[in-house]
């Protein structure tokens, strides 16, 4: 099947080249471009919530809300991309130009993470968080415009490369396309800039359709006229029409009305779909935060890549083994049935996440509420001491934190003479009371002069540093004061919190007298427990998302494929807005309860969707368009193409410098 065909129609230029397997060569450039673009997006998104949490120091709910607001914007901008592609630039130029915007956004986002820009005193913390927040928000907006704008174009542009006799290859293309989306996140950033230019390199091989006017605006005007005309003729004296869109017949072409009917039929089916994305996209927010409360070394790397690895494994297994096997068994496993099953798998994933969260909650420390305070007493005195805290509450030394419902306390030590001191605790916070070798109450640095510690601030006498984030594993610290120095090492567990007490004799015994206090125990629930929920959500993704991508393209009229692709992506945006609302307003006391809530909602929605799918009738848009053309007495599209080819052939014979045809 080696062939070459060049067609012209109203300023359009079609170049279709096929390889030995029946696939257009141009498809190679498209899937490689998508491969690199998705790596850029998912690579940044994978650490975005951690950037919010640990660099900008936002709490879990705010980090989750901004994360999902960004994802929602990424899936709302496809509407803009579809309008630009269909009415102005065309798919090819839209992809190129918005990719430049995309790249600028990624660079801006990367610059926002450089704390040295505003860290004048070089203490490792930015001095102006407003600058970093503003720069990161600008970068995220540009990224959303870029990635969202090209989303509806790339898949539809790939579909445009196939001819009508290549329906089998077209279906396979969408599976390969989705494989490339997930394979991109597994490669290093070093080769991304090299492969990124591949899309432009294939420019001469693409089937490029010129913009056909603002189809989105035409659709909106036609729908608006139909509603207005129907309201104007709402009286029972006017005869009913078969479809409410038929009330636009007085002004608009019947072919356009028929195409809008097809689009509306699919968009109505999209109404329950956002709930799937509500669950699915939380693997980048809530599930990531869940992993920070778990333990695991190598597995933490595996968890971050388990979704694309499973996609690469499951897509070919489903496409080549599971689905054909079900079909051979005589079962009608239609695309909408696959999507329903995918939703149920996602619900099961959140049930699994809830079970993991219950296990995590058993190991987490009991933090004080906003009206409570917690205190822990550490004794470095040479003898055993009894501590009494008003009103007459005996406190165990070196035990866990004790919770108080009042802030003003008086501490008494059974020394000779008895020492009594008043303190005011912080509401909603934890504090540690240290009893040093000379019986006065002080914090952490018991040395008589300033100390410098590697990777930490300088500590004044009888003072303390703030908590500093360090990587898990063994870490070395060097204490210096003038010419004196000593070194000590400690191994840190993931998720743990420690306080080190430095006595006045620290240099005389070569740091041996430093006392370690474990404020929070290391995480004990292993990250491997997250693998089942990732397997379930990925199985649901393959059943739901890949199938939905194929379904949206197959049910769309030729000139509205980008519009319907944008509609499909908007379901993702709505799903993320739902998470945003729940994160800000829900405030459920337990995270596992929130997981079960989402799972229950998706099960209910999947039942509704299955009922809607049962009554849906699959259509062939080309067949319906041909029927409408025939009723209007218009020339069928295929006959138009053949006539144009004959006209072009005659033109080429007359022109010595006619269009050169390429044979492969």
């Amino acid at each position: 099947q080696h062939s070459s065909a060049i067609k012209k129609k109203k300023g359009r230029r079609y170049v279709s080249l096929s390889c030995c397997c029946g696939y257009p060569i141009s498809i190679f450039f498209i899937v490689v471009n998508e491969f690199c673009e998705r790596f850029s997006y998912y690579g940044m998104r994978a650490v975005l919530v951690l950037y919010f949490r640990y660099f900008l120091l936002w709490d879990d709910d705010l980090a989750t809300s901004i994360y999902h607001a960004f994802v929602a914007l990424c899936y709302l901008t496809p509407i803009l991309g579809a309008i630009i592609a269909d009415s102005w630039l065309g798919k090819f130029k839209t992809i190129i130009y918005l990719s430049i915007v995309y790249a600028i956004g990624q660079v801006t986002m990367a610059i926002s993470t450089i704390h040295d820009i505003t860290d004048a005193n070089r203490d490792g913390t930015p001095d102006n968080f407003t600058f970093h927040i503003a720069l990161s928000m600008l970068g995220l907006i540009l990224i959303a415009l870029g990635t969202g704008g090209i989303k509806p174009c790339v898949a539809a542009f790939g579909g445009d490369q196939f001819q009508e006799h290549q329906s089998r290859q077209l279906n396979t293309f969408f599976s390969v396309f989705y494989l490339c989306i997930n394979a991109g996140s597994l490669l290093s950033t070093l080769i991304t800039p090299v492969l990124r230019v591949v899309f432009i390199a294939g420019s001469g091989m693409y089937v490029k359709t010129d913009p056909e006017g603002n189809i989105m605006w035409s659709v909106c005007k036609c729908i608006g006229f139909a509603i207005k005309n129907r309201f104007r003729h709402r009286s029972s004296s006017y005869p009913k029409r078969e479809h409410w869109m038929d009330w636009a017949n007085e002004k608009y072409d019947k072919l356009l009305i028929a195409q809008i009917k097809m689009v509306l039929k699919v968009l109505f089916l999209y109404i329950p779909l956002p709930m799937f994305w509500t669950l699915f996209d939380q693997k980048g927010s809530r599930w990531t935060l869940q992993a920070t409360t778990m333990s695991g070394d190598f597995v933490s790397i595996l968890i971050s890549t388990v979704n694309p690895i499973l996609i690469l494994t499951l897509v070919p297994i489903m496409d080549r083994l599971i689905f054909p096997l079900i079909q051979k068994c005589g079962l009608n496993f239609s695309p909408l049935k696959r999507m329903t099953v995918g939703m149920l798998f996602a619900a099961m994933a959140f049930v699994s996440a809830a079970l993991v969260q219950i296990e995590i909650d058993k190991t987490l420390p009991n933090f004080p509420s906003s009206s409570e305070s917690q205190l822990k007493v550490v004794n470095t005195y040479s003898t055993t001491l009894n501590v009494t805290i008003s009103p007459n509450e005996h406190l165990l030394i070196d035990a866990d934190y004790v919770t108080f419902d009042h802030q003003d306390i008086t501490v008494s030590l059974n020394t000779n003479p008895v020492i009594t001191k008043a303190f005011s605790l912080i509401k909603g916070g934890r504090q540690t009371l240290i009893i040093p070798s000379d019986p006065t109450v002080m914090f952490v640095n018991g040395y008589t002069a300033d100390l410098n510690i590697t990777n930490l601030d300088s500590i004044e006498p009888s003072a303390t540093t703030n908590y500093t984030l360090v990587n898990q594993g063994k870490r070395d610290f060097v204490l210096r004061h003038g010419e004196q120095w000593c070194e000590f090492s400690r191994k840190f567990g993931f998720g743990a919190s420690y306080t080190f007490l430095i006595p006045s004799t620290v240099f005389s015994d070569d740091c041996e007298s430093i006392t370690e206090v474990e404020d929070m125990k290391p995480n004990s629930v292993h990250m491997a427990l997250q693998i089942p929920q990732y397997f379930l959500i990925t199985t649901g993704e393959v059943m739901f998302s890949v199938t939905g991508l194929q379904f949206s393209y197959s049910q769309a009229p030729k000139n509205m494929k980008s519009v319907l692709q944008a509609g499909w992506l908007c379901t993702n945006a709505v799903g993320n807005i739902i998470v945003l609302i729940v994160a800000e307003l829900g405030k459920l006391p337990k995270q596992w309860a929130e997981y079960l809530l989402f799972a229950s909602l998706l099960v209910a929605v999947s039942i509704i969707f299955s009922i809607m799918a049962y009554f849906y009738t699959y259509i062939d848009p080309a067949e319906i368009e041909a029927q409408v053309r025939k009723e209007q007495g218009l020339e069928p599209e295929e006959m138009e193409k053949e006539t144009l080819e004959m006209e072009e052939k005659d033109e080429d014979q007359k022109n010595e410098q006619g269009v050169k045809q390429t044979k492969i």
Side-chain angles (χ1 to χ4, degrees), residues 209-229:
T209 57
D210 287 347
E212 299 181 357
N214 195 332
I215 189 65
M216 186 78 78
W217 179 239
S218 299
V219 169
C220 292
K221 287 196 299 182
C222 185
I223 293 174
F225 179 81
I227 295 173
K228 185 171 63 174
N229 198 30

Side-chain angles (χ1 to χ4, degrees), residues 53-320:
R53 185 68 183 84
Y54 297 110
F55 186 90
L56 299 182
L57 304 180
W58 293 347
D59 60 32
D60 286 358
D61 286 337
L62 181 59
T64 299
S65 299
I66 300 301
Y67 172 87
H68 286 284
F70 163 69
V71 176
L73 184 61
C74 289
Y75 287 96
L76 282 175
T77 49
I79 298 175
L80 177 64
I83 293 174
I84 293 174
D86 289 340
S87 62
W88 183 23
L89 296 176
K91 298 185 186 73
F92 177 75
K93 289 183 179 179
T94 300
I95 294 171
I96 293 297
Y97 295 157
L98 288 182
S99 291
I100 296 173
V101 175
Y102 192 165
I104 295 173
Q106 288 281 28
V107 171
T108 305
M109 189 66 190
I111 293 173
S112 75
T113 66
I114 304 174
H115 59 73
D116 285 348
I117 295 177
T118 62
D119 186 12
N121 57 6
R122 294 296 185 266
D123 63 351
T125 302
D127 299 329
N128 187 354
F129 275 101
T130 304
F131 172 82
H132 292 274
I133 292 173
L135 205 61
S136 63
M137 293 303 105
L138 174 62
L140 290 177
I141 290 172
L142 292 175
I143 291 170
L145 288 174
T147 186
I150 67 178
K151 272 179 188 296
C153 303
V154 178
F157 188 60
D160 289 345
Q161 311 306 306
F162 294 88
Q163 299 178 13
E164 292 185 3
H165 67 276
Q166 296 176 304
S167 58
R168 181 180 62 82
Q169 290 91 339
L170 176 62
N171 289 331
T172 304
F173 160 72
F174 284 109
S175 294
V176 174
F177 184 81
Y178 208 79
L179 278 173
C180 290
I181 288 175
N182 290 276
S185 61
L186 294 177
L187 286 191
S188 72
T189 54
L190 295 176
I191 65 173
T192 299
V194 178
L195 296 179
R196 186 66 178 165
V197 299
V198 172
F199 181 74
I200 303 175
S203 175
M205 301 183 183
Y206 297 133
V207 174
K208 301 175 186 175
T209 57
D210 287 347
E212 299 181 357
N214 195 332
I215 189 65
M216 186 78 78
W217 179 239
S218 299
V219 169
C220 292
K221 287 196 299 182
C222 185
I223 293 174
F225 179 81
I227 295 173
K228 185 171 63 174
N229 198 30
R230 176 68 184 90
F231 181 77
R232 197 184 302 139
H233 299 85
R234 62 187 180 275
S235 173
S236 58
S237 59
Y238 294 100
K240 292 184 178 181
R241 300 188 182 182
E242 184 180 353
H243 192 281
W244 64 270
M245 276 302 303
D246 292 333
W247 288 97
N249 283 337
E250 286 84 348
K251 185 176 180 180
Y252 290 92
D253 181 64
K254 287 186 177 180
L255 180 59
L256 176 62
I257 294 173
Q259 292 170 335
I260 293 175
K261 287 180 184 177
M262 289 184 272
V263 170
L264 291 176
K265 186 179 180 182
V266 179
L267 290 178
F268 175 74
L269 205 60
Y270 284 175
I271 292 175
L273 302 188
M275 202 64 218
F276 173 85
W277 300 114
T278 298
L279 276 69
F280 177 78
D281 281 327
Q282 288 190 64
K283 65 184 178 63
S285 58
R286 291 298 195 194
W287 286 13
T288 300
L289 294 172
Q290 184 186 63
T292 62
T293 61
M294 306 174 75
S295 66
D297 298 319
F298 172 76
V299 178
S300 63
I301 302 174
L302 176 63
I303 289 295
S304 64
T305 59
V306 68
N307 179 253
I309 289 174
L310 287 172
I311 285 287
L312 294 174
T313 306
L314 291 176
V315 167
I317 291 176
M318 293 286 189
D319 196 39
R320 296 297 182 183

Side-chain angles (χ1 to χ4, degrees), residues 28 36 39 51 105 132 136 201 206 221 239 371-372 374 387 408 443 451 461 536 538 550 573 606 612 614 644 653:
F28 165 79
C36 298
F39 169 77
Y51 167 73
H132 292 274
S136 63
Y206 297 133
K221 287 196 299 182
S371 62
E372 296 176 331
Q374 288 186 341
V387 180
D408 295 324
F443 287 88
L451 287 176
L536 291 169
T538 306
Q550 298 171 355
S606 64
M612 296 171 65
Y614 178 79
L644 287 167
Q653 291 175 350

